[in-house]
Amino acid sequence: MARIKPQALLLQSKKKKGPSGVSAPTIIVYILIVAVMVFSLFFTYRYWSRRSIVQTQDGISTSKAIERKKSDIPNYALISTSKGLITVELYKDGSSDIVDDFIDFSQKGHFKGMQFTRVIKNFVIHGSKVERPEATEDWTSRGKLDTSLKHEAFMLGTSKVKHEGGGFDLFITTAPIPDLNNKINVFGRVIKGEDVVQGIEKVDTDDHYRPKTHVQINEVTLKHKS
């Protein structure tokens, strides 16, 4: 057998070995992968940036809408009664939910024809579409009224206890009364027509504070200006 020279073995070994560097197709694949990752990151960033801007704009728009809605709420209610006109300033900032309910009931004509069912001199007049004497009688059941806590007269409010089927009732105080916040939700005050309130207060009543002559609310008109 013929011996292969060392130089020939070396040449054969070099022929069997592949190229030591990275091939061109591999480099192209790597470049494409990197490009896809860069584009993906770019478009993701762009999407969330735009979404953030839109959310900020939506937040500003919502805030402006709320401000506009708040400015659209009437400031005053004109309560026309069989004794005359009572103008009330509404506390739309301090009692916004109750004012919203009052406005809703007013627009639906709920107060039209409502009778003043209870009149307690030097205390309150109460308008309601439901016969519920306990709404006022439980205030006076202890005998002499406790006047240690003073509250303003001519405040407009509604019962904290909701009446089944009775909707929204009205109280107007005719004197400073005790524990006002424990009994009614105040949402306004009389600014004109105090004499009308006092005229209603003077009507004759029976032993249950029910007026002997009908006194009613004819209509409630909402205004932005008094």
Side-chain angles (χ1 to χ4, degrees):
M1 180 182 294
R3 293 183 62 185
I4 301 175
K5 295 181 179 181
Q7 291 180 350
L9 289 173
L10 181 61
L11 289 173
Q12 290 178 2
S13 175
K14 287 183 178 180
K15 289 180 180 179
K16 290 180 180 179
K17 290 182 180 179
S20 59
V22 180
S23 64
T26 303
I27 294 174
I28 293 173
V29 170
Y30 286 154
I31 291 173
L32 289 175
I33 291 173
V34 171
V36 169
M37 291 177 64
V38 169
F39 277 109
S40 176
L41 290 172
F42 171 75
F43 284 111
T44 301
Y45 169 78
R46 189 174 180 182
Y47 167 78
W48 287 107
S49 297
R50 287 185 175 182
R51 182 169 179 176
S52 177
I53 293 171
V54 170
Q55 287 178 340
T56 302
Q57 291 175 343
D58 288 345
I60 294 172
S61 299
T62 302
S63 177
K64 289 181 178 179
I66 292 172
E67 289 178 3
R68 284 196 298 270
K69 183 178 179 181
K70 191 173 181 180
S71 65
D72 290 340
I73 298 175
N75 296 307
Y76 303 94
L78 278 59
I79 304 174
S80 172
T81 74
S82 53
K83 291 285 187 179
L85 185 65
I86 303 169
T87 302
V88 175
E89 179 184 7
L90 302 175
Y91 293 160
K92 63 181 184 180
D93 292 328
S95 307
S96 57
D97 291 341
I98 303 172
V99 169
D100 286 343
D101 288 342
F102 172 76
I103 291 171
D104 184 53
F105 276 103
S106 297
Q107 292 172 338
K108 291 178 180 178
H110 172 75
F111 302 108
K112 189 173 183 178
M114 176 181 282
Q115 301 286 327
F116 284 97
T117 56
R118 293 294 183 277
V119 173
I120 306 176
K121 291 177 174 59
N122 299 316
F123 204 51
V124 295
I125 58 176
H126 177 214
S128 176
K129 287 193 171 180
V130 176
E131 270 295 314
R132 187 173 176 271
E134 64 269 21
T136 51
E137 287 184 359
D138 60 353
W139 298 6
T140 59
S141 60
R142 293 175 294 176
K144 185 178 179 180
L145 293 173
D146 177 12
T147 57
S148 59
L149 297 175
K150 296 290 185 180
H151 298 278
E152 293 182 30
F154 304 111
M155 307 300 288
L156 177 69
T158 187
S159 294
K160 286 193 171 183
V161 179
K162 297 299 181 183
H163 309 156
E164 293 185 4
F168 201 104
D169 64 351
L170 296 176
F171 289 90
I172 300 178
T173 62
T174 61
I177 65 173
D179 304 326
L180 179 63
N181 293 329
N182 293 330
K183 305 180 191 310
I184 62 176
N185 289 313
V186 173
F187 64 93
R189 66 183 181 93
V190 177
I191 58 172
K192 292 180 184 178
E194 292 91 339
D195 57 329
V196 176
V197 175
Q198 291 171 337
I200 297 172
E201 182 188 26
K202 291 176 182 178
V203 301
D204 290 334
T205 62
D206 61 17
D207 293 338
H208 297 285
Y209 310 105
R210 293 176 298 200
K212 293 181 180 180
T213 57
H214 288 296
V215 184
Q216 71 174 30
I217 295 173
N218 298 325
E219 190 177 8
V220 173
T221 305
L222 304 171
K223 297 286 186 181
H224 284 87
K225 296 181 180 180
S226 61

